[in-house]
Structure formats: structure tokens, C-alpha cells
């Protein structure tokens, strides 16, 4: 094997420090240690050992740091003077990591673990460090071995000891203090301790990542569900794929299992299946697998034990099989700890963890996850086994409630009759009242008709005949009407449908005059005939009358509207609920004719009639529709009122889709308000849950999640918004190119705010690709520009350059975007000297800035000639021109500064060097004077633009003043600022105090 040189090892160490955490980085670090030891360079060997310890720490192999640390400690004992101040500090700091690694390694005897703790205490005392970290390490060792009194003493001593250079950061300390409170059963105290970390006031490399996961179950136990949801969504995004955070991943999986989100837990498990194999750090393995076991047990309890799980050990496993394998291996690890510690505490806690019961039924998370398949056992289970026969009195009461709900058309009627039917099925046939049996058959026939079952007509005919036999003629008349509706739904011929409608009306009219429901049955038959007859007329008109929806055209609706109007007039007093149905239909007709103002009072009247009739749930559809119409005519306050009424009246509705629609409507309206993002998010979240329940995750659920993401973004919760949006992105992309572009751009904006430049650029580029074929090139140009900015931020200069140039080309094709062109040219100017600071690069930067100014000047000249702006107003163009002059001055400053720094670096080099000679030719004084002239010109232009640009003007004057100082003209610079301050103070409209403070501070600095 070829020995590495010192230079190769140093380069390898630099690369290793910047490599992703994990086994590959660790293996490379191990090689570098061996290479450094082989060449006999003590300093390089110590550096390589330190690098290896750090590599192990941030991976799943943290327990392996013991060996390199012991070797580094030996090096220190041999020659402490060889360690500089930083190296010695690092060595003592790593003692804390080693104390944890020893405690987490069951193979290390307890005596050795205690000895390492004593050694840490001794060395810290000699070095003059506080005992604070020692006592914390003692706390966790004492807790693991069941010495609770010692743990409490160590806890008090930890908090009492002084903080110094060896103390963990505040975030990590608060993590541990809260964790100890949880062990003592005080969740509220833990969350109070964790608050600064969770709020982002105290952070470090792995905080709040870990605490967001650790806080999940305490929050659930305290009923703080909104916080738990937010911590999961944000925390999982931060921990995902991080090998050193596998215990946190396990906590997120456990949280999903205990909050009714088993499918989400499965998705997280699938994302981390590659990490499931045995880990070097067995404590991390047990923590990770513990969360998985909670999920697998819950899935088994829900009937999914025989469903496929993720592969393990290179072989497929069912849920139950994987549970058995992971449980056995985890308990083996726990027992190894027990043997080492002389107590069963570790295994007891582990068994308690994996046996936890759910803490909440279902907590909607907002993120999309695929629903679990219905277990075969649940699908095939006989009804008799599910619902036992109740006592007779209870059953009679249930039947009476079901009949009342049916007559009121209450949403609960279906569920009540389903329960009656289940109980009827559980009884012997000769014990069932014939009328109850007929009612159950009626309900089942109705369900079949609604579902479009092929045998619906047959079932309805049987129900009609049975009611006739029992003398229930009004129920038989209703079955006749349902037969006609089922025939229309199944596509029967017009003649057959009309025959059935006539029979239904005849049956209703034939009812005894003293039958209380006779009038309702006749009215219902008439309304059904009006509705169905309109459908039949459209069929008979032929296909040439289809798809004609120009506003103001009748399209055959005049006759229908007249019939409905007559129906409302006839039954408004006697049967207001049926009149409300007819009025809602009238409103929809008005909308189809492009007359929203005519529709609005009709929809309002329909809703009001339903409420006055004691059927508030019937008003929901009309109110939701009315809310949407009001938004379309820009009456948002009334729209919100209608949507809130719909939500209020939907309380008793049982249809999941309707619940989703109501909440999505209100959420969408609230999102238009500047102050209602939090409430919009709440309704959108619930809407997404209801759409999921209705099996509409990819449709209404996707739209609800889009609104939820926008609401989160409005609140500043960009990580939550990005996680929600990414989860439903595939669904949203199926809803047309316009939405595909919009949501990708939105996601790009979110990722940009999260400083994930590469991912943001990817979304902008994908959106631009979708917009590629559009007639208007500006959307694609804007997206390409956004992508270029993010690619530049990610230092992908070649890709950024291509994106900028493509954007510039597209804007020039559009021909009306001078400001966009100028901004792109300025960005290209800044990129020119980034990799190459030679004279050609600076010349290109200047040329590009000149081009940007030329574009703006041309647009201003065209405006002066025609009186029409080119794409933007004159003040906007002038402001951009001033900004261009200012940025050119900044580019020149960069050139001068880089030249001076290069001269300093050359130092004592031979003055005959060609590069030094070339640099010496730069006339820095002339460039400084040009900077002053450019910034002064920009400041004057900002002054002409008025008070909206005072801050910009101050920036220009400050820049000119400091540049004056650079060339030895201190008084001239101070005079510029003094004059501006006096002018600011004399302005009649006043100047913001912070501007005056900034200006005065700059003047004071110049004069100091």
C-alpha cells in the first residue's frame, strides 16, 4: 500500500470534515489516522485522532470513539506541552462524550465505567474545570443502575456547580434537565425547561432536532395536541436521514403509532429501513427499534399483523414477524445492560415503552400519508359477531329514534338504521317485527340505489310490495318514487322514467286524505318530477345542445325555473324544507346563466327556510355555494359569514366529504384575511382529515393541504408548510399545469426561506419546465431567474450562469421587462469575478453593469417620447437605475479591495513577478473617485424620487463618505453626511428616528 504524504493527509482531513456523517466518513477517518501514525508526525496524528473521534460522534458508531480517545489521552500524558490551548480544550471536552459512550456500552464493566467517571473528575479538578459535566455524567450512570438517591444528589450537584468552558451548551443541558423531569413523571416541568430550546432561543448542532422528538409524548400526555403536531412536522423534517439522530426518528415513529397515525409511522419507517440493521451503538439501536416496535404492535392490534413490513436482514417480513425479530434483539441488548448494571431497570423501561397504549384516537397531522388497507379480518367479519343483540327495551328505543331521524331526514338516520339492521341480523327471524324488517330492507335498498347497485330496482320493488302487504301505503308510495329516481340514475329510457314518476305521483295522491304525510308525498313526487323532467328534456334535445353555457343564455332553464318558482310559491308555508330544495335549485340555475347577483338571494332564502324548518343541516350546501359566489363578486365579509353559518349548521352532518368541503371553504376565505392565518390553518387541517376519511386524499385532501401550507407560510411556519406541501405535491401536480407551476414555485419559495438553495432551485427549474410551452414567456423567465439566484447561492456557478442567461433571453422575448433584464444583468456582473479575478472578468462585470444601466435608460427615453412606461412606472425605472449605479460602485470597490489584499498576500515576493507587476498597474485612485461619482449620482437620483427612498439615499451618501476617507479626504466625507443630516432634520414630513441615528453614527465613526 502506498504511504500517504503529509499534504495528502491534510487534504484528506479537510475533505473528511466536510463529508456527510456516516460509516463512509468514519472509514475514511480511520485510514487517515493510520496514515498519520505511519509517517511519524505527532501533531498530524493528534489531529487525525481528534477528527476520528468527531466522525464517530456524529454517526451511529459513537461508541467506537473510546479507542481513539484513549490513544489521544496517552499522547497527552506523554507530552502535555505538545497540545496547544485549543487541542487541550478539545481533549477535555471529548471526555464528556466518552463518559456517555461508556455508559451506553454494556460490554464495558460497571467498575470500568465508574473508573472512567472518577478519572474524568480527577482530571477536571487538576485542570481547574468545574465539576458540572462530571455530575451530569454521574446522574445518568446512577439512573441506569437504579441508584435513584445517588442520581438525585448528582442532579442537585450538577445544577449547583458553576458553568465554565467545559459545560455543555445551554440547549444540551436543558435537554438533559427536562429528560430527568420526565423520568420523575413531571411532563409539565420538562416542557417548561425545554421551552427556550423549542422556541429557538437556545440551539446547537442537534438542538432543537432532538427535543422536538423528545417532547412529543409529554405534549400528548398533557393534551397539548397542536404543539405535538407542530413539533412532529418540524422535527421530523430536521431529523430525517440523519444517522446520529436515529433515536429521535424512533420517537417520531412511536408518536405516530400512539396518535392514530400508523400509516405515517410506516412511511417514516420505510424511509429509514436501511438503518434498521444492527448498529455499533447498541443503545441507539435499542432506542430506534423501540419506537418501531410500538408501531408494529399497534399495527398488529389493528389487524395488520400479516401485512408486509419493510425488509430486514435482507429478507422480507410481515409486521408480526418483524415485531418478533426486533423485540428479541432489543430485549437481548436490554438484558446485557441489566447484567452489567445489576438491575432490570433498562429492560423494565423498554418493556413499558413498547407496551404503551395510544394517547389520542386520531390526531390529524396535516401531512399526507397513504391510508392503511382495511384488514381482511375486519372486512369479512360477520355482523352478528360485531353487534350483539341488545335487550328488547333498548332495541325498541333504537328503532323509534331511527324512525324519527328518517322522517326528519336527519344525517344520523343512516347510521341508526345500520345499527338496527345489525341487531336484526343477530336475532332469529321469527323474533323480528315484520315492520322493522321492512324498514331495514328499505334502508338497505336506499343505500343500494345511492351506490348505483345493479339490483337496486329489484330491492326497491320488494320493499314497496312488503310495505303494501303491511298496509304502510305512504312508505310504499315513497318506494315508488325511489324506483323512478333509481331508473333515472341508471340511465333508463325517458318513457320508462316518466311512467315510474307518474306511478309515484298516483300512489301519493291515492293515499287516504287523513294520512298526515299525504301532502308531503305528493309534493315530493312533484319536485322529483320537475327535477327529472328537466333532465329528460335535455336528453331529448340532443347532443347539439350540450356544452352551451354562455352567460345570459337560457339553454332550456326557463321552463325549469318557472316550475320551481311555482313549487316554492305553493309549498313555502306548508313544506318549507322542500321549498328550500327548490330554491337552491333556482340559485344554481341563476349561476349557470352567469347571474351571481340573482343567485345570491335565492341561496340565502333556501338556507333560511331549511333552518326555520328545523333542518339546519339541509342549509349547508346552499351556504357553501353562496360563500363561494360572494368571494367571486368580492364580498369577503359576507362570504365569511355564510361559510361560518355553514360550519355551524354542519355539526350533525355525517358525510365526510361535506365536512371537508365546508371547512376548506372557510379556510380559503380566511386565508384572504391578513389576520386569520392561524384559524385558516386549523380549518384546513381538519378539512384534509375529513377528505382523507372520505377517500378523497388526492382531490379535496390535496387542495386542503395546499391551503394549510399557505396558512402555515403566512404564520412564518415555513418548515411546517414545506413538509405539508411536499407530502401532497404528487397529488397537486395532477390538477393541471397551472397549479403544477404554482405549487412548485410556492415550494421553491419555502425552501429558499429555509436556506435549502439546491432544493429550491430544483423546484423553480421544474416549474419553469412545465411553463416552457406557454405563449407568454414571462412566467418561465421569472422562474428561471429565481432558480439562478438559488443556484448562485449554492455556489453552483455554471448552472446559475446558464439559468440567468436563459431568463434574460426569455425576458427579452417578452419585450416589456426592463427591470427584470437589469436585475439579471447586475447578477451576472457580480458572478463574473467570482471564480476569476483577472482583468477580463472585471471588464465583463463593468460591461454587464453598463448594459443594465443602458436597458433602464432606454426604457426611460421611450417613456419620455411616448408617455407610456415600458413594463414599469418611471419612478420604478429611475430607482432601478440608481441601484445599478450604486452596485457598479460596489463592484469597483470589490476590485480595489481584492487588488489591495492580493498585494498584501504577495508581501515579500519578487517584485519582478508578472502577476505582481500586472496588479501594480491598477489605478486604484481613479477607481475610488469613480465610486464616489457613481454613489453621488445614485444619491441625487434617489433624492429626486422623494421620501420613500430616504434609506437608499443615506446608503449612497454613507458609501461616498467612507470612500472619501479611503483616499484621505475625511473632511469631504464628513461634510457629505453632515449636509444630509441637516437636510433630514429640516424635512417638514420628518424622518424615521432610526435613519437619523444611523446617519449620526456613521458621522461619528468618520470623525473618530
Amino acid at each position: 500500500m502506498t504511504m500517504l504524504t503529509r499534504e495528502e493527509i491534510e487534504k484528506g482531513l479537510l475533505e473528511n470534515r466536510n463529508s456527510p456523517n456516516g460509516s463512509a466518513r468514519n472509514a475514511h477517518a480511520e485510514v487517515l489516522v493510520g496514515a498519520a501514525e505511519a509517517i511519524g508526525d505527532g501533531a498530524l496524528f493528534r489531529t487525525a485522532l481528534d477528527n476520528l473521534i468527531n466522525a464517530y460522534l456524529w454517526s451511529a458508531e459513537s461508541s467506537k470513539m473510546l479507542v481513539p480517545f484513549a490513544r489521544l489521552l496517552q499522547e497527552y500524558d506523554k507530552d502535555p506541552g505538545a497540545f496547544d490551548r485549543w487541542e487541550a480544550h478539545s481533549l477535555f471536552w471529548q471526555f464528556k462524550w466518552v463518559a456517555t459512550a461508556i455508559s451506553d456500552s454494556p460490554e464495558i464493566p460497571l467498575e470500568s465505567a465508574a473508573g472512567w467517571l472518577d478519572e474524568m473528575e480527577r482530571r477536571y479538578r487538576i485542570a481547574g474545570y468545574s465539576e458540572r459535566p462530571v455530575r451530569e455524567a454521574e446522574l445518568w450512570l446512577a439512573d441506569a443502575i437504579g441508584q435513584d438517591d445517588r442520581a438525585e444528589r448528582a442532579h442537585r450537584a450538577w445544577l449547583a456547580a458553576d458553568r465554565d468552558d467545559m459545560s455543555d451548551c445551554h440547549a444540551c443541558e436543558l435537554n438533559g434537565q427536562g429528560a430527568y423531569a420526565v423520568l420523575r413523571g413531571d411532563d409539565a416541568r420538562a416542557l417548561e425547561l425545554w421551552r427556550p430550546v423549542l422556541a429557538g432561543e437556545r440551539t446547537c448542532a442537534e438542538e432543537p432536532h432532538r427535543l422536538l422528538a423528545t417532547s412529543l409524548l409529554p405534549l400528548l400526555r398533557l393534551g397539548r395536541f397542536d404543539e405535538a403536531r407542530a413539533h412532529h412536522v418540524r422535527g421530523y423534517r430536521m431529523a430525517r436521514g440523519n444517522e446520529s439522530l436515529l433515536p429521535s426518528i424512533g420517537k417520531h415513529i412511536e408518536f405516530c403509532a400512539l396518535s392514530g397515525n400508523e400509516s405515517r409511522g410506516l412511511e417514516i419507517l420505510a424511509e429509514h429501513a436501511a438503518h434498521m440493521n444492527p448498529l455499533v451503538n447498541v443503545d441507539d439501536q435499542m432506542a430506534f427499534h423501540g419506537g418501531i416496535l410500538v408501531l408494529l404492535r399497534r399495527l398488529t392490534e389493528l389487524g395488520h399483523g400479516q401485512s408486509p413490513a419493510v425488509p430486514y436482514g435482507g429478507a422480507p417480513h410481515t409486521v408480526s414477524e418483524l415485531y418478533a425479530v426486533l423485540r428479541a434483539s432489543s430485549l437481548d441488548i436490554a438484558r446485557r445492560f441489566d447484567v452489567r448494571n445489576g438491575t432490570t431497570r433498562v429492560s423494565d423501561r423498554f418493556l413499558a415503552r413498547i407496551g404503551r397504549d395510544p394517547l389520542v384516537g386520531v390526531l390529524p397531522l396535516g401531512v399526507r400519508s397513504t391510508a392503511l388497507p382495511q384488514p381482511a379480518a375486519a372486512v369479512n367479519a360477520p355482523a352478528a359477531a360485531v353487534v350483539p343483540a341488545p335487550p328488547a327495551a333498548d332495541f325498541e328505543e333504537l328503532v323509534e329514534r331511527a324512525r324519527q331521524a328518517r322522517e326528519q331526514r336527519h344525517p344520523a338516520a343512516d347510521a341508526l338504521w345500520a345499527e338496527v339492521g345489525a341487531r336484526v341480523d343477530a336475532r332469529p327471524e321469527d323474533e323480528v317485527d315484520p315492520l322493522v324488517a321492512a324498514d331495514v330492507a328499505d334502508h338497505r335498498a336506499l343505500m343500494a340505489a345511492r351506490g348505483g347497485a345493479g339490483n337496486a330496482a329489484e330491492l326497491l320493488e320488494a320493499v314497496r310490495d312488503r310495505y303494501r302487504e303491511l298496509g304502510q301505503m305512504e312508505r310504499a308510495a315513497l318506494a315508488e318514487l325511489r324506483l323512478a329516481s333509481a331508473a333515472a340514475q341508471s340511465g333508463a329510457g325517458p318513457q320508462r322514467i316518466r311512467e315510474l314518476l307518474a306511478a309515484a305521483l298516483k300512489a301519493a295522491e291515492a293515499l287516504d286524505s287523513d294520512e298526515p304525510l299525504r301532502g308531503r308525498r305528493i309534493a315530493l313526487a312533484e319536485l322529483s318530477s320537475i327535477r327529472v323532467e328537466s333532465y329528460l328534456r335535455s336528453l331529448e334535445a340532443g347532443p347539439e345542445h350540450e356544452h352551451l353555457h354562455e352567460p345570459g343564455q337560457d339553454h332550456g332553464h326557463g321552463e325549469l325555473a318557472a316550475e320551481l318558482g311555482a313549487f316554492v310559491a305553493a309549498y313555502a308555508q306548508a313544506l318549507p324544507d322542500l321549498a328550500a330544495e327548490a330554491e337552491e335549485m333556482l340559485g344554481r340555475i341563476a349561476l349557470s346563466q352567469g347571474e351571481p347577483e340573482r343567485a345570491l338571494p335565492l341561496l340565502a332564502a333556501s338556507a333560511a327556510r331549511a333552518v326555520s324548518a328545523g333542518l339546519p343541516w339541509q342549509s349547508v350546501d346552499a351556504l357553501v355555494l353562496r360563500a363561494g359566489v360572494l368571494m367571486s363578486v368580492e364580498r369577503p365579509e359576507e362570504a365569511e359569514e355564510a361559510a361560518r353559518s355553514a360550519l355551524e349548521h354542519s355539526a350533525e352532518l355525517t358525510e365526510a366529504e361535506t365536512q371537508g368541503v365546508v371547512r376548506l371553504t372557510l379556510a380559503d376565505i380566511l386565508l384572504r384575511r391578513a389576520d386569520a392565518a392561524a384559524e385558516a390553518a386549523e380549518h384546513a387541517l381538519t378539512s384534509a382529515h375529513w377528505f382523507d376519511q372520505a377517500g378523497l386524499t388526492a382531490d379535496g385532501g390535496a387542495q386542503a393541504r395546499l391551503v394549510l401550507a399557505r396558512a402555515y407560510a403566512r404564520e412564518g411556519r415555513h418548515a411546517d408548510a414545506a413538509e405539508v406541501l411536499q407530502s401532497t405535491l404528487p397529488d397537486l401536480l395532477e390538477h393541471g399545469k397551472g397549479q403544477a407551476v404554482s405549487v412548485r414555485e410556492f415550494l421553491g419559495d419555502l425552501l429558499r426561506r429555509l436556506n435549502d438553495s439546491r432544493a429550491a432551485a430544483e423546484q423553480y427549474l421544474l416549474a419553469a419546465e412545465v411553463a416552457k410551452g406557454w405563449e407568454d414567456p414571462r412566467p418561465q423567465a421569472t422562474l428561471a431567474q429565481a432558480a439562478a439566484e438559488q443556484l448562485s447561492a449554492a455556489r453552483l456557478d455554471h448552472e446559475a450562469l446558464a439559468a440567468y442567461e436563459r431568463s434574460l433571453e426569455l425576458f427579452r422575448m417578452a419585450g416589456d421587462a426592463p427591470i427584470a433584464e437589469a436585475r439579471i444583468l447586475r447578477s451576472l456582473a457580480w458572478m463574473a469575478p467570482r471564480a476569476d479575478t483577472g482583468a477580463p472578468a472585471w471588464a465583463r462585470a463593468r460591461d454587464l453593469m453598463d448594459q443594465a444601466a443602458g436597458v433602464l435608460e432606454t426604457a426611460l427615453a421611450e417613456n419620455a417620447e411616448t408617455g407610456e412606461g415600458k413594463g414599469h412606472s418611471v419612478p420604478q425605472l429611475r430607482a432601478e437605475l440608481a441601484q445599478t449605479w450604486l452596485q457598479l460602485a460596489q463592484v469597483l470597490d470589490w476590485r480595489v479591495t481584492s487588488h489591495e489584499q492580493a498585494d498584501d498576500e504577495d508581501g515579500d515576493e519578487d517584485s519582478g513577478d508578472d502577476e505582481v507587476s500586472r496588479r501594480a498597474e491598477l489605478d486604484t485612485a481613479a477607481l475610488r473617485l469613480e465610486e464616489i461619482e457613481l454613489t453621488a449620482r445614485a444619491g441625487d437620483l434617489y433624492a429626486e424620487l422623494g421620501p420613500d427612498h430616504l434609506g437608499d439615499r443615506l446608503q449612497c451618501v454613507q458609501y461616498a463618505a467612507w470612500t472619501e476617507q479611503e483616499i484621505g479626504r475625511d473632511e469631504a466625507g464628513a461634510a457629505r453626511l453632515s449636509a444630509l443630516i441637516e437636510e433630514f432634520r429640516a424635512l417638514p414630513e420628518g424622518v424615521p428616528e432610526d435613519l437619523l441615528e444611523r446617519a449620526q453614527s456613521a458621522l461619528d465613526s468618520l470623525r473618530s
Side-chain angles (χ1 to χ4, degrees), residues 264-505:
R264 166 77 167 169
L266 268 180
E267 290 170 359
I268 296 174
L269 174 58
E271 289 184 9
H272 294 84
H275 298 285
M276 282 182 55
N277 292 327
L279 304 175
V280 173
N281 187 329
V282 294
D283 189 65
D284 279 4
Q285 178 182 328
M286 188 168 63
F288 178 42
H289 287 183
I292 296 171
L293 285 167
V294 177
L295 172 67
L296 296 174
R297 180 181 61 82
R298 282 292 301 146
L299 289 170
T300 301
E301 291 172 351
L302 294 171
H304 298 282
Q306 299 310 307
S307 299
V310 296
Y312 179 72
H317 289 78
T318 65
V319 167
S320 296
E321 290 169 346
L322 184 59
Y323 177 82
V325 171
L326 296 186
R327 186 178 188 276
S329 63
S330 297
L331 284 176
D332 178 66
I333 295 171
R335 291 183 184 114
R336 284 156 57 193
F337 275 108
D338 289 347
V339 170
R340 195 274 299 267
N341 297 340
T343 174
T344 61
R345 170 156 289 184
V346 173
S347 57
D348 289 345
R349 283 179 174 172
F350 184 79
L351 287 169
R353 178 189 185 188
I354 65 174
R356 284 174 178 150
D357 292 326
L359 295 169
V360 61
V362 178
L363 176 64
L365 299 178
V367 290
R368 185 205 201 283
S369 58
T370 304
L372 293 173
Q374 187 71 15
V379 172
N380 298 328
V386 178
V387 185
D394 290 344
F395 179 67
E396 291 174 0
E397 180 183 349
L398 174 64
V399 171
E400 182 58 30
R401 286 175 54 207
R403 285 173 174 162
Q404 289 177 357
R406 181 179 66 187
E407 293 311 314
Q408 294 175 339
R409 293 190 288 173
H410 194 284
D414 288 343
L416 288 168
W417 280 115
E419 185 176 352
V420 171
R423 297 191 183 191
V424 163
D425 291 341
R427 293 182 168 204
E429 188 175 347
D430 59 355
E431 294 182 11
V432 177
D433 179 89
L435 182 55
V436 172
D439 286 339
V440 169
D442 180 36
H443 169 70
R444 290 173 176 171
L446 178 59
M447 293 298 100
R450 288 177 183 170
N455 65 338
E458 180 182 344
L459 294 173
L460 288 167
E461 287 175 352
V463 165
R464 177 198 59 194
D465 294 343
R466 185 176 300 185
Y467 276 135
R468 285 175 176 172
E469 292 171 3
L470 294 171
Q472 299 292 316
M473 303 309 295
E474 63 88 10
R475 298 298 306 168
L478 185 59
E480 289 273 18
L481 185 57
R482 288 175 178 166
L483 271 170
S485 299
Q489 183 178 342
S490 64
Q495 182 177 349
R496 175 58 180 162
I497 295 171
R498 287 189 174 106
E499 289 173 356
L500 290 170
L501 284 170
L505 179 58

Side-chain angles (χ1 to χ4, degrees), residues 21 87 260 286 310 316 343 366 386 422 425 521 531 615 682 741 782 870 875 877 950:
N21 298 326
E87 289 173 333
M286 188 168 63
V310 296
T343 174
V386 178
D425 291 341
R521 293 290 176 259
R531 182 187 292 113
L615 308 176
E682 177 187 345
V741 169
T782 301
K870 186 180 179 184
L877 292 167
L950 292 176

Side-chain angles (χ1 to χ4, degrees), residues 944-957:
E944 295 173 13
L945 290 169
D948 289 343
H949 293 277
L950 292 176
D952 297 316
R953 188 179 175 199
L954 173 59
Q955 181 186 12
C956 292
V957 174

